[in-house]
Amino acid sequence: MSLIVQKFGGSSVSDAEGIKRVARRIIDTKAAGNDVVVVVSAMGDTTDDLLDLAAQLTTNAPAREMDMLLSAGERISMALLAMAIDELGEQAASFTGSQAGLITDASHGMARIMEVSPQRVHRAIERGYIAIVAGFQGMSKETKNITTMGRGGSDTTAVALAAALDADVCEIYTDVDGIYTADPRVVSSAQKIEKISSEEMLEMAASGSKILHLRCVEYARRFGVPLHVRSSFSTHEGTWVIPDPDDKITIQEGEPMEQPIISGVAHDHSEAKVTVIGVPDIPGKAAQIFGVIAAAQANIDMIVQNISTQGSGKTDISFTLPMTEGKRVLDALNTAKGEIGFEELEYNEEVGKLSLVGAGMRSNPGVSFTFFEALHQAGINVDMISTSEIRISVVTDADKLNDAVRAIHTAFNLDAEVEATVYGGTGR
Amino acid sequence: MSLIVQKFGGSSVSDAEGIKRVARRIIDTKAAGNDVVVVVSAMGDTTDDLLDLAAQLTTNAPAREMDMLLSAGERISMALLAMAIDELGEQAASFTGSQAGLITDASHGMARIMEVSPQRVHRAIERGYIAIVAGFQGMSKETKNITTMGRGGSDTTAVALAAALDADVCEIYTDVDGIYTADPRVVSSAQKIEKISSEEMLEMAASGSKILHLRCVEYARRFGVPLHVRSSFSTHEGTWVIPDPDDKITIQEGEPMEQPIISGVAHDHSEAKVTVIGVPDIPGKAAQIFGVIAAAQANIDMIVQNISTQGSGKTDISFTLPMTEGKRVLDALNTAKGEIGFEELEYNEEVGKLSLVGAGMRSNPGVSFTFFEALHQAGINVDMISTSEIRISVVTDADKLNDAVRAIHTAFNLDAEVEATVYGGTGR
C-alpha cells in the first residue's frame, strides 16, 4: 500500500462540479489501494473576493488580519471537498494548517514552514479516512497566530506533508498535463517531459516556467520527495520530478535512466533591465549599488558589469529584476545618486529572458556553441548572458523572445517530430 | 475603567459600510475609556451562501465538516472588522473560537460551552488592543475539532466571554433599540422596556420574544452578567437585563429599583398543537406518550390532559410543540398507536401562543382575573393554559392572536400613553 499526497489548486475546485470531479479522482486513488492525503487551495475566486472586501475597508490591512481573512478560503474548500467525498461513500476529515501541524515562522503573508507534525493527519489515515488539509496556511510557532505562505504555498504544503508522512509520491494536479520542453503556447511542437531531475526543474522554475513554484521544487529536492505533475482532467501520466538524478527511484521497470542533455526551454516576460551608467570604476562601487537595492528589499536576477571604456575611469552596470520592483529600485538608486556617483539610469521593460536547462550540458561542451549559433542564425541579439552548470540564460528584446524560444527548441531537437534524439548519449 | 463586551450580529456587518459603522461604534466605546472585547457573527448572507454550496454536494453533510465550513464565516467578518478598526487608528486582533479559549462539548452544530479560557483575549486587551472574537464557534475539548453552537450561539459566546473576563456589561447590538412590552409590529403602542430581570427575560424568550435567545439569557442569569440590548444604529440606551432583581447593580443613580408588575407580552406563531384522542384512562399512558415523543427528540411546550368523559374510560391529551417537529412526532405516535391504544390524532398549525410575563404577578393576585377578563371582552377563546410563578400563557386560534396581544397589552396599561402606571406599586 502506498501513501499518496495529492494537491489540487483553486481552478480544480472552482465550483460544485469541480469539487465532485476532484472527489471522484481522490476516491479512485483510494480504491486502487492507496492511503490518500489531499492538500487543497481556496476555490477559484474566493481569494480575490476576500481581497476585494478588504480593499473596501483599508489599503493597508494588518498582515495578521489579512492572513486570518485569507485562511477562511481553504476552510471552505476543504470542508466542501470532505462532504463531496463522504457523499460518494468514503470517509474524509478536513484539517486546517494548524490542525495538520504545519508550523511556520511569524512572517505573515510569506511564512516559511519550520516543522510539520501531522499526528492528526496520520491518525486519520490509520483509521481509514481520507485526510484533507488546507494548503497555503499554517500557525506561527512563536505567536500561535495563523499565517499564510504566499505564492506557491499550497504546493509547498503538499510537499512538506509528503516529506513528513514519508509519502511515496506527491502529485501536483494542475490544468495542464505536465511540464513541457517549452511553453506550448509559444512552441507548438513542445513535448511533455516524462521525467526531469529536481535540479533541472529548479532551474526551469527559476527561469520562468510557471507550472511548479521554485519553493516547492526546492523543498521536494531537499527532502527527496518525488513529484508527479499531472492534469486533474485526465488520468494520463504527467511529468515526474525526481529528487536526485542518481536516485534509484524507478518509474517504470526497464525504463532507461539516462539523462537527456537538455530538459527544456523556459522563458520569462516579467523582468525589466536597469542600467546604471557612468559608475566610477573604483573598488566597492558595485557593492554600494547592490547594498542600496538590498535595502529596498528587491530581488535582482542577472548582473553584467561592462568593461570600463579606455581612459574614462567609468563603467556601466546592468541587472534584471522583476518588473514589479522596478520603480522601487529606481527611486532607491536615485536617492543614493550623489553618494554612489553614477551619471544616469536606464530602465527597460521591453526585455525577455530565455533559459536552456539540462543536467546533460555539464558533460557536453558543444551546448553553448549550438545555443549561440542558433540565436545568431535567427537574427537575435543577445543583451545579457548568465549561466549555471546546468543552465544558460540570455536577455533579448521582448519582441524577439518567442522567436528565440522556437529557434532554441528546434536547435536542440526538442520538437516533437524528433523526440528520440533528445535523450542522452547522442553527443548533441 | 470598565471592560465592555459588545456583540454584533450578521445584519450589522452585512457589507463594508456596516463593518465601518460597527468599527466606529467600537472605537467610540474604547475612546470613552473602556476596554472592549467584541464578538461578531458571520456577515449577512455568508452562512446561507455556504449552506447553498454544501447543498450542491450533499443532502447529508457530516456534522464535523459542516461546522468546519460554517466557522469560515466568522473568520471573514472578524478579520475585516479588525482591519476596519486598524484603518481608524486603533489596534485590533481577531481570534477564532478556539484561540479565544471557547471550549465546548463535541456536539457538532449544537455544541454547549464547557469552559472559557480567554488568556489570549486577556493579553490582547492588556496590551491596549481591541479583541475581536468569532461568535458561534468553539473547539471540542475531547476531539479538538471545531464546533458550532447553533441558534443563539453568538449571543451566548458574548455572555460566556463577559462572564469569564468579569466584564462590567455585555452589550447585545441588534437592529431594534431594545426589548418591547410587546412586538411593535403587532402592538403599535408597545413601549421599550428600560430594565427587566433575567428571570422575566427568560420567560419572555421562552415565550417567543425573538430579540434574545433563551440560552444566552440563561447563561447571563447563571453567571450574573448584566446584558444591555441596544441598537447598532443609534446611541440611545436600550433595555438592561439584570441578573437578579435583588442585586445592587444600579444603572443610574437615584433610579427606583421597584419591579413593574408586568414586563411585557410575548407571542409566538411557530407552534402547532397535537391532540391524542381516546387514550385509555389508566395510569402510565401519559408517560408512554411522552416517552415516544422524547425518543423522537422533539421538544414539547404546553400540555393539557382533558378530564375523562364520564364512563368512557378514555381521555384526550393535547400538547404544543415547534411546527418544524410536527411531522416527526405524528409519525412516531402513529407507529406506536397499537402499543399506546389511542383512537386518533388531531394536528393543528393554526394556533398561536400569548404569554404575559412579570415578576410582580407573584404578589399581585388580580393579574389572572384582569388577563382572562380582557380576553373574554375581546371575544377570544382560550384553548390551553399554562402558568409559572411569573408567567401566564394561553393558546388561541392563530387568527385571533394579534387581537389578543393588543387586548392584553392595553388591559395591563402597557400602552405608551400611560407609561407611568406600568411600574410597581399601583396595585394593578
Side-chain angles (χ1 to χ4, degrees):
Chain A
M1 180 181 276
S2 295
L3 171 56
I4 298 181
V5 174
Q6 301 187 316
K7 182 260 169 178
F8 294 92
S11 60
S12 300
V13 292
S14 60
D15 56 16
E17 281 317 302
I19 291 172
K20 286 180 194 173
R21 193 182 63 242
V22 166
R24 280 189 291 269
R25 185 69 180 242
I26 293 166
I27 285 182
D28 288 346
T29 308
K30 173 95 174 156
N34 304 292
D35 284 333
V36 188
V37 173
V38 176
V39 172
V40 68
S41 305
M43 290 171 73
D45 299 329
T46 305
T47 303
D48 288 341
D49 291 347
L50 293 174
L51 289 172
D52 283 351
L53 277 169
Q56 290 176 48
L57 296 169
T58 176
T59 54
N60 188 24
R64 177 189 187 278
E65 300 306 323
M66 189 55 93
D67 279 0
M68 182 67 90
L69 180 69
L70 295 181
S71 72
E74 284 82 21
R75 288 206 160 193
I76 295 169
S77 57
M78 75 186 191
L80 292 172
L81 182 55
M83 290 177 191
I85 290 171
D86 184 88
E87 178 71 14
L88 292 172
E90 283 285 346
Q91 289 186 296
S94 64
F95 299 97
T96 63
S98 81
Q99 289 178 335
L102 283 146
I103 307 302
T104 70
D105 63 16
S107 311
H108 286 292
M110 48 180 184
R112 310 289 302 188
I113 297 172
M114 294 180 69
E115 59 183 76
V116 184
S117 309
Q119 288 88 351
R120 293 189 68 177
V121 173
H122 199 74
R123 281 200 300 275
I125 55 181
E126 272 180 353
R127 281 164 39 222
Y129 276 68
I130 292 163
I132 317 284
V133 177
F136 177 72
Q137 60 180 254
M139 186 179 73
S140 157
K141 189 187 184 82
E142 184 191 336
T143 64
K144 311 287 181 215
N145 286 329
I146 288 153
T147 53
T148 69
M149 301 178 193
R151 289 184 57 201
S154 289
D155 287 1
T156 307
T157 300
V159 172
L161 270 174
L165 294 165
D166 200 19
D168 295 275
V169 58
C170 179
E171 296 182 340
I172 307 285
Y173 285 85
T174 168
D175 48 6
V176 297
D177 60 359
I179 311 286
Y180 274 71
T181 51
D183 185 335
R185 288 169 300 188
V186 173
V187 181
S188 57
S189 59
Q191 313 168 58
K192 190 174 73 185
I193 301 172
E194 289 182 28
K195 208 169 57 177
I196 184 173
S197 71
S198 295
E199 192 182 12
E200 290 167 304
M201 193 62 232
L202 214 50
E203 293 278 10
M204 292 280 279
S207 303
S209 170
K210 301 287 187 301
I211 313 297
L212 282 182
H213 199 272
L214 188 57
R215 187 171 168 190
C216 144
V217 183
E218 275 177 345
Y219 207 109
R221 183 190 187 200
R222 187 162 342 125
F223 289 93
V225 176
L227 301 176
H228 186 184
V229 181
R230 58 196 305 191
S231 167
S232 60
F233 295 91
S234 86
T235 55
H236 296 141
E237 289 270 306
T239 299
W240 285 81
V241 182
I242 305 298
D244 188 298
D246 300 327
D247 266 3
K248 289 293 170 288
I249 295 162
T250 304
I251 309 320
Q252 207 176 301
E253 294 245 349
E255 195 192 10
M257 286 300 291
E258 301 103 312
Q259 284 296 310
I261 299 177
I262 298 302
S263 291
V265 184
H267 70 277
D268 191 350
H269 274 289
S270 70
E271 295 201 340
K273 180 186 167 193
V274 175
T275 303
V276 191
I277 296 174
V279 181
D281 194 8
I282 52 176
K285 279 296 156 188
Q288 207 176 351
I289 288 170
F290 293 114
V292 167
I293 294 166
Q297 304 248 318
N299 296 299
I300 56 173
D301 180 18
M302 293 166 71
I303 303 170
V304 173
Q305 176 160 3
N306 300 357
I307 295 160
S308 184
T309 314
Q310 189 73 34
S312 71
K314 300 271 188 177
T315 186
D316 302 339
I317 295 178
S318 297
F319 55 88
T320 63
L321 80 177
M323 236 177 252
T324 50
E325 302 183 357
K327 185 178 180 315
R328 198 161 78 241
V329 165
L330 293 182
D331 288 348
L333 286 172
N334 276 321
T335 303
K337 186 174 181 177
E339 188 192 341
I340 300 170
F342 64 85
E343 287 165 5
E344 58 178 314
L345 293 177
E346 254 179 33
Y347 181 66
N348 183 5
E349 294 194 342
E350 296 303 315
V351 297
K353 185 173 77 162
L354 176 155
S355 301
L356 180 73
V357 175
M361 70 173 71
R362 277 198 192 97
S363 48
N364 282 272
V367 169
S368 300
F369 170 72
T370 305
F371 182 82
F372 289 106
E373 179 65 14
L375 292 176
H376 170 64
Q377 293 295 340
I380 290 155
N381 262 337
V382 170
D383 199 15
M384 297 171 80
I385 303 170
S386 98
T387 59
S388 81
E389 275 201 310
I390 64 167
R391 177 184 50 79
I392 307 175
S393 300
V394 292
V395 170
T396 70
D397 285 353
D399 59 4
K400 293 285 187 180
L401 184 62
N402 288 356
D403 289 345
V405 171
R406 282 186 285 266
I408 295 297
H409 199 263
T410 301
F412 284 91
N413 291 339
L414 293 167
D415 295 340
E417 295 77 18
V418 287
E419 181 170 5
T421 66
V422 179
Y423 285 89
T426 65
R428 288 291 303 265
Chain B
M1 180 182 278
S2 295
L3 171 57
I4 297 180
V5 174
Q6 301 187 317
K7 182 259 168 180
F8 294 92
S11 60
S12 301
V13 292
S14 60
D15 56 16
E17 280 319 302
I19 292 172
K20 285 180 194 172
R21 194 182 61 243
V22 166
R24 279 188 292 268
R25 186 69 179 244
I26 293 166
I27 285 181
D28 288 346
T29 309
K30 172 92 176 160
N34 303 293
D35 284 333
V36 189
V37 173
V38 176
V39 172
V40 69
S41 304
M43 291 172 72
D45 299 329
T46 305
T47 303
D48 287 341
D49 291 347
L50 294 175
L51 289 173
D52 282 351
L53 277 172
Q56 290 176 47
L57 296 169
T58 176
T59 54
N60 187 25
R64 176 190 187 278
E65 300 305 324
M66 189 55 93
D67 279 0
M68 180 67 89
L69 180 70
L70 295 181
S71 71
E74 285 81 22
R75 286 205 161 195
I76 294 170
S77 57
M78 72 186 193
L80 291 172
L81 182 54
M83 289 176 192
I85 290 171
D86 184 271
E87 177 71 14
L88 292 171
E90 283 284 347
Q91 289 186 296
S94 65
F95 298 97
T96 63
S98 83
Q99 288 178 336
L102 283 146
I103 307 302
T104 70
D105 63 16
S107 310
H108 288 290
M110 49 180 184
R112 311 287 303 186
I113 296 173
M114 295 180 70
E115 58 182 77
V116 184
S117 308
Q119 288 88 350
R120 292 188 67 178
V121 173
H122 199 75
R123 280 201 301 274
I125 56 182
E126 274 181 351
R127 281 164 40 221
Y129 276 67
I130 293 163
I132 317 284
V133 177
F136 176 73
Q137 62 180 251
M139 184 180 73
S140 157
K141 190 187 184 81
E142 185 192 335
T143 64
K144 310 287 182 216
N145 286 330
I146 289 154
T147 54
T148 69
M149 302 179 192
R151 289 185 56 201
S154 288
D155 287 1
T156 308
T157 300
V159 172
L161 270 175
L165 294 165
D166 199 20
D168 296 276
V169 58
C170 179
E171 297 183 340
I172 307 284
Y173 284 87
T174 168
D175 48 5
V176 298
D177 59 0
I179 312 286
Y180 274 71
T181 51
D183 186 336
R185 288 167 303 188
V186 174
V187 181
S188 56
S189 59
Q191 314 168 58
K192 189 175 73 186
I193 300 171
E194 289 181 27
K195 207 167 58 176
I196 185 172
S197 71
S198 295
E199 194 183 10
E200 290 166 303
M201 192 62 232
L202 214 49
E203 293 278 10
M204 293 280 278
S207 302
S209 170
K210 300 287 187 300
I211 312 298
L212 281 182
H213 199 271
L214 188 57
R215 185 171 171 192
C216 144
V217 183
E218 275 177 345
Y219 206 110
R221 184 189 187 201
R222 186 160 346 123
F223 290 92
V225 176
L227 300 177
H228 186 185
V229 181
R230 59 195 307 191
S231 167
S232 60
F233 294 92
S234 85
T235 55
H236 297 139
E237 289 270 307
T239 299
W240 285 80
V241 182
I242 305 298
D244 188 301
D246 300 327
D247 267 4
K248 291 290 171 290
I249 293 162
T250 304
I251 309 317
Q252 207 176 296
E253 293 245 349
E255 194 190 10
M257 286 300 290
E258 303 103 313
Q259 284 298 309
I261 300 179
I262 298 301
S263 290
V265 184
H267 71 277
D268 191 349
H269 274 289
S270 69
E271 295 200 342
K273 180 186 168 195
V274 175
T275 304
V276 189
I277 296 172
V279 181
D281 193 9
I282 53 175
K285 280 296 159 190
Q288 207 176 354
I289 287 170
F290 294 113
V292 166
I293 294 166
Q297 305 250 316
N299 296 299
I300 57 175
D301 180 17
M302 294 165 72
I303 302 171
V304 174
Q305 177 162 0
N306 300 357
I307 295 159
S308 185
T309 314
Q310 189 73 35
S312 72
K314 300 273 188 177
T315 187
D316 302 337
I317 295 178
S318 298
F319 56 88
T320 61
L321 78 178
M323 234 177 255
T324 50
E325 302 182 357
K327 187 180 178 313
R328 196 159 80 239
V329 165
L330 293 183
D331 289 349
L333 286 172
N334 276 321
T335 303
K337 188 174 181 178
E339 188 192 341
I340 299 170
F342 64 85
E343 287 164 7
E344 58 177 315
L345 293 176
E346 256 179 30
Y347 181 67
N348 183 5
E349 295 194 340
E350 297 303 313
V351 298
K353 185 174 76 161
L354 176 156
S355 300
L356 181 73
V357 175
M361 67 171 74
R362 276 198 194 98
S363 49
N364 283 273
V367 168
S368 300
F369 170 72
T370 307
F371 182 83
F372 288 105
E373 179 64 13
L375 291 177
H376 170 63
Q377 293 296 339
I380 290 156
N381 262 336
V382 170
D383 200 14
M384 298 170 79
I385 303 171
S386 99
T387 59
S388 81
E389 277 201 308
I390 65 168
R391 176 184 51 79
I392 307 176
S393 300
V394 292
V395 169
T396 70
D397 284 353
D399 58 4
K400 295 281 188 183
L401 185 62
N402 288 355
D403 289 344
V405 171
R406 282 186 285 266
I408 295 297
H409 199 262
T410 301
F412 285 91
N413 291 339
L414 292 168
D415 295 341
E417 295 77 17
V418 287
E419 180 171 7
T421 66
V422 178
Y423 284 89
T426 65
R428 290 293 302 266

